[in-house]
Amino acid sequence: GKQWYNAEYGSMSEGTVKNLRNGDTFFLSAQECIHAAYFQNKYPSPSQLNKSGKFGSKFVTVCISGNENNTIEMFAYQVSNQCMALVRDNILLPAKEHPGQAYVKNSSAEQYVPDVFFREKR
């Protein structure tokens, strides 16, 4: 697996860290999701039920960061097969202004990119 370390000290005397990754910010940045998808694509899981002989991945990305109690915790993630396909086809890119957001490339003469629709739930 791959690990991201993102622990910023809250109070040195109390030994706490800041809770930087939560529902108000993001759990993994778009760039971290793209890296996770890259490695999940690089290390696929064997599958007898898929014609290609592979499906998904057992590769796990771990983020080491502060939690709601301001202590260090490890959070394990995998991106979806859809995210893996977007990264495999070089379609998904991180947004520069907002680290928790990504965007899909526009179609070009060299590469057709279908419309991608999504719905955000909060």
Side-chain angles (χ1 to χ4, degrees):
K2 172 88 174 154
Q3 69 181 16
W4 297 102
Y5 183 78
N6 178 244
E8 188 176 314
Y9 286 109
S11 168
M12 290 288 278
S13 61
E14 296 176 14
T16 61
V17 293
K18 293 180 182 177
N19 179 10
L20 301 174
R21 296 173 184 253
N22 54 55
D24 295 329
T25 58
F26 53 85
F27 294 102
L28 284 181
S29 71
Q31 187 65 52
E32 291 164 342
C33 287
I34 291 168
H35 274 107
Y38 169 80
F39 284 109
Q40 284 177 224
N41 281 323
K42 188 173 179 178
Y43 301 103
S45 293
S47 173
Q48 296 176 353
L49 302 176
N50 195 316
K51 290 179 185 178
S52 71
K54 303 171 192 167
F55 184 78
S57 177
K58 292 179 182 69
F59 192 92
V60 175
T61 297
V62 175
C63 180
I64 303 168
S65 187
N67 62 17
E68 64 275 355
N69 298 322
N70 295 332
T71 58
I72 292 179
E73 189 170 346
M74 292 187 278
F75 303 92
Y77 296 96
Q78 282 190 306
V79 297
S80 67
N81 289 332
Q82 291 86 353
C83 181
M84 290 170 61
L86 290 169
V87 170
R88 177 198 65 214
D89 296 339
N90 197 27
I91 294 173
L92 191 64
L93 300 169
K96 293 179 182 175
E97 303 82 30
H98 303 284
Q101 297 179 358
Y103 69 96
V104 176
K105 280 177 153 178
N106 291 324
S107 289
S108 67
E110 296 83 32
Q111 182 181 29
Y112 169 73
V113 178
D115 290 334
V116 176
F117 296 96
F118 68 94
R119 183 180 311 188
E120 182 177 339
K121 292 184 178 181
R122 289 236 173 195

